[in-house]
Amino acid sequence: MARAEKATAVAELKEHFESSSAAVLTEYRGLTVAQLKQLRVTLGGNAKFAVAKNTLSKIAANEAGVTSLDNLFQGPTAIAFVSGDVVEAAKGLRDFAKANPLLVIKGGVVDGKSMTPAEIATLADLESREILLAKLAGALKAKQSQAAATFNALPTQLARLVEALREKRGETGGTEAGADAAADAAE
């Protein structure tokens, strides 16, 4: 590879590292071109799956400020640059790796934080962003409904309490007056 080609490749990889919200490094040894194409289709618009030389990838990552991946650039390495939903891309990689055990997730970086393969698997177990936001909205709506019901119930309960106190005073007030009259008559 000529120097100009290497410089172009490094610049392109650096731009991918900088513009992506996550990068997941995988080992693809033994996978066919058709299987790699299937993986790219599986990832869809969430990620770009690129095979690159380790030395060029390492240089590009370091220039982009991602130094936590240095020890992962060994053996045949491909990088999934995630630009969409990180959870969906992690699920795609995990599911493809289950179906094709030759794909091994080495680790990665998400929003500047280094991730181990186990952490990426945990990330893949999360529900998608849309589902989590919907659940949050539902929970907030439920709490608002509970608060509204509580606020609506307070005046009703207060009215019942006042009525019960009035009835109790009426009952005890009548017997107390009768007892006082009987005590006055006895004297």
Side-chain angles (χ1 to χ4, degrees):
M1 194 180 247
R3 275 186 187 245
E5 291 174 351
K6 288 180 182 179
T8 303
V10 167
E12 185 179 327
L13 288 169
K14 178 185 174 192
E15 194 255 313
H16 284 310
F17 274 111
E18 290 174 341
S19 65
S20 300
S21 58
V24 180
L25 275 66
T26 62
E27 183 175 317
Y28 64 95
R29 186 186 328 244
L31 291 175
T32 65
V33 173
Q35 288 171 321
L36 289 175
K37 184 177 180 181
Q38 181 187 5
L39 175 58
R40 286 184 176 101
V41 170
T42 301
L43 293 175
N46 286 328
K48 180 181 188 286
F49 193 73
V51 176
K53 291 186 176 265
N54 286 337
T55 53
L56 300 180
S57 299
K58 190 174 183 178
I59 291 168
N62 287 330
E63 286 182 7
V66 181
T67 58
S68 59
L69 301 176
D70 286 352
N71 60 341
L72 300 178
F73 290 111
Q74 297 171 3
T77 303
I79 307 166
F81 294 105
V82 181
S83 56
D85 188 5
V86 177
V87 173
E88 288 298 317
K91 283 181 183 184
L93 287 169
R94 178 202 58 197
D95 294 344
F96 187 85
K98 282 182 182 177
N100 301 285
L102 295 175
L103 182 76
V104 178
I105 297 174
K106 294 180 173 184
V109 62
V110 177
D111 292 328
K113 182 187 178 294
S114 180
M115 302 283 281
T116 65
E119 291 172 326
I120 293 172
T122 302
L123 189 64
D125 291 337
L126 291 176
E127 293 175 337
S128 70
R129 183 176 189 270
E130 291 79 20
I131 292 173
L132 291 174
L133 288 174
K135 284 185 175 183
L136 176 64
L140 290 175
K141 184 178 178 189
K143 290 296 179 187
Q144 288 175 345
S145 296
Q146 288 174 348
T150 301
F151 291 137
N152 286 338
L154 287 177
T156 304
Q157 289 176 349
L158 180 62
R160 287 181 186 155
L161 178 64
V162 168
E163 184 62 30
L165 287 173
R166 188 176 334 166
E167 287 177 9
K168 187 171 182 175
R169 280 193 176 167
E171 289 174 6
T172 58
T175 57
E176 286 177 8
D180 288 340
D184 287 338
E187 293 177 0

